[in-house]
Amino acid sequence: MRILVSACLMGLCTRYDGGHCENEELISLGTRHTLIPVCPEQLGGLPTPRVPCERVGDAILSKDGTDHTAAFERGAAEAFKLYKISGCAAAVLKARSPSCGKGPIYDGSFTGKLTDRAGVFAQKLLDAGIQVYDEGEISQIKY
Ligand code: SF4
């Protein structure tokens, strides 16, 4: 089965700080399934590295106050297209990200506090009824 995954969890340096958060459990999942990496923020045209962003109401603001909502929405739409055209049946996404977090995510205060919402891309998948796991839930994937 094909599974869409956050690129940073595969070890690709797509994070805002230019790093990654490689997850061995996810990479092991690749022995049973075809994993398709995507970074919605890069697909939305944002640079790497970039100023960190958080969801503030319905907007996505960077720590310096710039509104990046349009780029996040564009990236979510493109990543959703990739999910569809590649024939994926589920997604494994990075937790707490303003794009990929299925919830909770950081609350917009840039203080590390969490709020029970989803990131822009994760919300798009959830709204479409797609099964979304975060990296703490990989062991739940039994197929
Ligand atoms: S947008 Fe998603 S894939 Fe890209 S760096 Fe953030 S968490 Fe990783």
Side-chain angles (χ1 to χ4, degrees):
M1 158 175 137
R2 291 186 186 136
I3 301 176
L4 197 81
V5 301
S6 292
C8 55
L9 293 176
M10 291 291 287
L12 298 172
C13 294
T14 56
R15 274 172 54 108
Y16 73 92
D17 59 1
H20 62 76
C21 30
E22 185 175 287
N23 182 300
E24 287 298 330
E25 196 180 8
L26 177 62
I27 288 172
S28 298
L29 194 68
T31 61
R32 309 200 314 264
H33 300 288
T34 301
L35 305 181
I36 300 184
V38 64
C39 176
E41 290 176 25
Q42 288 188 339
L43 270 184
L46 293 168
T48 305
R50 53 191 172 274
V51 179
C53 293
E54 293 190 4
R55 196 164 195 176
V56 182
D58 286 330
I60 303 286
L61 304 182
S62 61
K63 204 171 180 181
D64 63 12
T66 308
D67 189 334
H68 290 293
T69 310
F72 273 70
E73 287 177 351
R74 187 165 56 242
E78 290 296 293
F80 189 77
K81 257 194 254 175
L82 181 63
Y83 181 95
K84 291 285 187 193
I85 62 178
S86 56
C88 288
V92 179
L93 302 181
K94 178 80 187 78
R96 297 180 294 282
S97 153
S99 288
C100 291
K102 64 176 277 192
I105 59 172
Y106 293 117
D107 74 350
S109 64
F110 294 93
T111 60
K113 285 190 206 142
L114 298 173
T115 184
D116 197 16
R117 300 189 67 193
V120 180
F121 177 48
Q123 189 65 62
K124 203 168 182 60
L125 294 177
L126 292 167
D127 287 348
I130 290 165
Q131 180 70 62
V132 177
Y133 301 89
D134 70 28
E135 77 261 37
E137 298 171 327
I138 295 170
S139 62
Q140 295 176 18
I141 302 173
K142 300 297 182 198
Y143 33 83

